Amino acid sequence: RGHLTTPAMAQPGGDAAELEQQLRKFAAQVMEKHAVAEAVVPPALEPIIVEVAETGQIKHAWAAMKYLLATKLHQVLTAFWEQSQDIEFEDGGSFEDVKQELSDMLLRFQGPPFTVQRLCELLAEPGKIYNSTRRFCFAVEKLVVVTSLLAGHRDSEGHDQVVVGQKRKATDQSPLGSPRGAEAGAHSESNGEAPAVRQKIDESGSERGPEVEAAVAVEVDPAPAPAATGT
């Protein structure tokens, strides 16, 4: 069951312009219908994720690619949950809330996060390291709470981008149950361990949206030349 292993697929190549067009069309459909949860990643677009996992290079428009990754993330999380329902919920919480929150956090990025290669590695081969839904979610969350973009990334107008901040309340909750400030680095992705307190999702874990501002991307202008001095 599920999609915890990478299916055989064509390698990146061929007509790059056609692939970009397919990606943009897919992203537009998902965005228009707000359908990350219902969409399915077309086999023709899977190689984009594999290529980033292997090279770390972003060759496609991030505005479209993030919808591809969010859709793939939703699919992988669904497959994990079918095989390993190892997260406990309280007060009406559900795994659908976790999937939605992690997808939303990814979609907030104005450019690719510097962790995008590792994220694509997990999405391309989700069952390679983890067989626990809880541990896989912890690993993904750690990759999408960052606030820095991939070095050297340029937007559609060719400007370098940098994330200048994401404002969060001190009590802002992780989708997996603990304050984000407390959990950063609290577990190691390499061994998948996590504090037992984060096995449950409390009621505040379902709060999202108004208190989280999207990361802001700004142009990085060259340093101004020093003012000329008189002689």
Side-chain angles (χ1 to χ4, degrees), residues 134-135 138-139 176 186-188 191-199:
R134 177 172 57 87
R135 291 178 177 179
F138 290 155
L176 297 174
H187 65 279
S188 170
N191 60 23
E193 293 300 329
V197 68
R198 299 191 60 215
Q199 295 182 24

Side-chain angles (χ1 to χ4, degrees), residues 8 14 16 22-23 43 51 56 81 106 125 134 169 173 177 222-223 231:
Q22 292 179 32
L23 174 61
E51 184 177 32
W81 190 243
L106 177 58
E125 297 184 281
R134 177 172 57 87
K169 291 183 178 180
Q173 291 287 319
T231 57

Side-chain angles (χ1 to χ4, degrees), residues 62 106 109 111-117 119 143-144 146 148-150:
W62 174 252
L106 177 58
F109 282 100
F114 76 94
T115 55
V116 67
Q117 181 174 13
L119 176 62
L143 299 175
V144 297
V146 299
S148 297
L149 297 187
L150 190 66

